Amino acid sequence: MRLLLLAYFTILLSAAFLPASSSEVRHARNFEIIDYGTHRMLSVSNAFRDSTQIHHYALVPKRNELPELPEAATVIRTPVERVVAMETVYIGYLEALAQLDTIIAAATVDYISNPKVRQGVAEGTIQPVQVGQAIDVEKLLLLQPDLLITSVSGDAAFDIPAKLERTGLPIVLSAGYMEQDPLARAEWIKFVAAFFEEDELANQIFDGIEKRYRKLETRTKQIEDKPTVLCGAPYSGVWHVPGGDSYTARMIFDAGGDYLWSEDSTQGGIPLDTERVFLKAAGADYWINPSFYRSMHALYAADARFAKFAPAKNGQVYNNTRQVSPSGGNAIWERGITQPDKVLADLIHIFHPDLLPEHELVYYELLQ
């Protein structure tokens, strides 16, 4: 009898820590959400290249008592109401979730393009907390955010300083930028939504994004005559062309383009000099994303040899700079992350104008 009772209580105790369910994540590889009934556990992996650490965040509703939790988990009480966005990419997710009003501080505010957030910065309702690499830790402590969301690169010179880590503020790392698929990056809206208990809204938004993206993608599936595409521009003498397994390469493929480095399996950039890029891509049909340049004059001023590339001669150089703010913020890295279907439509219109003749470019512009 005693053995039966012991087994009974063991089963009850184990059940308390068993996941009740996990949220459906169809494309993103770097996070998961598991519901334990009393709380939900968000786990983030692959926070930067070659990282093996998994970061755990226990989301506990404010209306509930704190349950027993693993020591390694950072506790976040939900729904959060005071958010610090340390990169502009989060503004796109927050805008889609109608949570811009929760932003109380942001980093590198000059690179924010969202008009409402810029207005908040100008009026003082959103505090700037980072200029260059200098983070104002004292101001963050005074603000007492519910959530400070950021990402890391693995380079200590650019990542969260130890002084900030020691504050005990609720710092959450994301890894959306490490996803190579446009739909995977968009699906991180589910991760952000979990902090606001807005999972159903995020699912509805993402389902729409996925449906529109797949519909556009279908239109390029049967295309045999794919134009060749060159991408990027050199910086400080090095031309980091996107690898063949990168976010940009995938977007070009889905748009029906033949990316010239598609055979390379690199996920990040491939460092090359201009001469090597010219040897491979001088005769490309299109040139997209040439750094920050917004005119052919500016492009040639940087390097007169660019005029020898076929897309430059033929007037087929496009950049994703249509919505750049006066201070340099680019909406494609905010709203564009949650609108990969519109970015894809832009590229299809550029590579195959006959497929989407009525489409008006949203993020891209033809350099004149």
Side-chain angles (χ1 to χ4, degrees), residues 117-133:
V117 178
R118 291 185 63 82
Q119 182 181 357
V121 173
E123 294 175 348
T125 58
I126 296 175
Q127 297 292 314
V129 291
Q130 182 178 5
V131 177
Q133 297 305 311

Side-chain angles (χ1 to χ4, degrees), residues 18-20 35-40 64:
L18 286 175
D35 191 338
Y36 287 87
T38 56
H39 65 284
R40 290 191 295 168
N64 292 354

Side-chain angles (χ1 to χ4, degrees), residues 1-322:
M1 185 62 184
R2 293 180 61 185
L3 287 175
L4 284 174
L5 285 172
L6 179 61
Y8 173 73
F9 285 115
T10 300
I11 291 170
L12 281 180
L13 186 61
S14 300
F17 294 95
L18 286 175
S21 64
S22 60
S23 298
E24 183 184 23
V25 180
R26 295 194 290 271
H27 302 275
R29 298 178 178 179
N30 298 334
F31 79 91
E32 66 174 4
I33 305 173
I34 297 178
D35 191 338
Y36 287 87
T38 56
H39 65 284
R40 290 191 295 168
M41 191 67 75
L42 268 64
S43 300
V44 176
S45 59
N46 199 29
F48 56 89
R49 189 174 299 178
D50 299 326
S51 170
T52 57
Q53 185 176 359
I54 298 177
H55 305 269
H56 300 288
Y57 305 100
L59 274 56
V60 184
K62 292 176 180 175
R63 57 188 174 276
N64 292 354
E65 296 290 330
L66 272 181
E68 185 177 344
L69 297 167
E71 289 186 8
T74 299
V75 177
I76 308 290
R77 302 293 285 197
T78 62
V80 297
E81 300 173 77
R82 298 171 60 80
V83 176
V84 176
M86 297 299 286
E87 280 105 33
T88 59
V89 65
Y90 306 117
I91 293 171
Y93 298 118
L94 295 172
E95 181 183 32
L97 294 166
Q99 296 291 344
L100 287 181
D101 289 339
T102 65
I103 301 176
I104 59 169
T108 57
V109 295
D110 286 344
Y111 292 104
I112 293 172
S113 69
N114 184 285
K116 183 173 181 178
V117 178
R118 291 185 63 82
Q119 182 181 357
V121 173
E123 294 175 348
T125 58
I126 296 175
Q127 297 292 314
V129 291
Q130 182 178 5
V131 177
Q133 297 305 311
I135 296 177
D136 193 335
V137 177
E138 286 73 21
K139 183 182 286 187
L140 285 168
L141 281 169
L142 289 173
L143 288 169
Q144 285 296 299
D146 297 327
L147 170 67
L148 187 154
I149 188 166
T150 187
S151 64
V152 291
S153 65
D155 185 338
F158 297 98
D159 292 339
I160 302 170
K163 184 179 179 182
L164 178 56
E165 286 187 333
R166 289 195 296 268
T167 61
L169 291 172
I171 300 170
V172 169
L173 300 184
S174 70
Y177 83 99
M178 291 294 290
E179 304 282 359
Q180 308 308 318
D181 184 289
L183 286 175
R185 286 196 189 181
E187 197 169 23
W188 274 76
I189 193 172
K190 298 179 181 178
F191 177 87
V192 176
F195 295 96
F196 299 93
E197 300 182 356
E198 290 286 2
D199 305 77
E200 186 175 344
L201 174 61
N203 288 335
Q204 291 174 3
I205 293 170
F206 183 75
D207 288 349
I209 294 169
E210 184 183 42
K211 184 178 180 180
R212 293 189 296 274
Y213 192 96
R214 291 301 190 209
K215 185 177 180 181
L216 286 166
E217 186 187 30
T218 301
R219 304 186 73 158
T220 66
K221 289 285 188 186
Q222 304 304 321
I223 291 175
E224 295 182 357
D225 186 16
K226 297 185 176 183
T228 52
V229 181
L230 161 67
C231 189
Y235 181 77
S236 297
V238 181
W239 195 321
H240 288 91
V241 299
D245 195 23
S246 66
Y247 174 92
T248 302
R250 179 57 186 268
M251 190 66 87
I252 293 170
F253 176 81
D254 290 344
D258 178 9
Y259 180 50
L260 289 166
W261 278 266
S262 63
E263 299 301 320
D264 186 285
S265 61
T266 304
Q267 293 186 350
I270 308 169
L272 300 171
D273 55 39
T274 298
E275 289 77 11
R276 292 185 66 183
V277 174
F278 186 79
L279 285 173
K280 190 176 184 73
D285 295 309
Y286 291 94
W287 183 358
I288 65 169
N289 305 354
S291 189
F292 53 82
Y293 301 108
R294 298 194 67 180
S295 72
M296 296 307 294
H297 174 75
L299 196 60
Y300 295 157
D303 192 329
R305 293 175 296 175
F306 293 156
K308 297 180 179 179
F309 283 88
K313 295 177 183 176
N314 300 327
Q316 298 295 345
V317 182
Y318 291 82
N319 209 351
N320 55 15
T321 47
R322 177 176 288 270

Side-chain angles (χ1 to χ4, degrees), residues 182 213 216 247 251-252 255 288-289 320 331-333 335-351 356 359 361-364:
Y213 192 96
L216 286 166
Y247 174 92
M251 190 66 87
I252 293 170
I288 65 169
N289 305 354
N320 55 15
I332 196 168
W333 303 122
R335 190 180 301 122
I337 298 298
T338 58
Q339 296 181 340
D341 50 311
K342 293 186 177 180
V343 179
L344 181 63
D346 274 7
L347 291 176
I348 292 175
H349 178 77
I350 291 168
F351 300 154
L356 295 176
H359 177 74
L361 295 175
V362 177
Y363 293 105
Y364 275 84

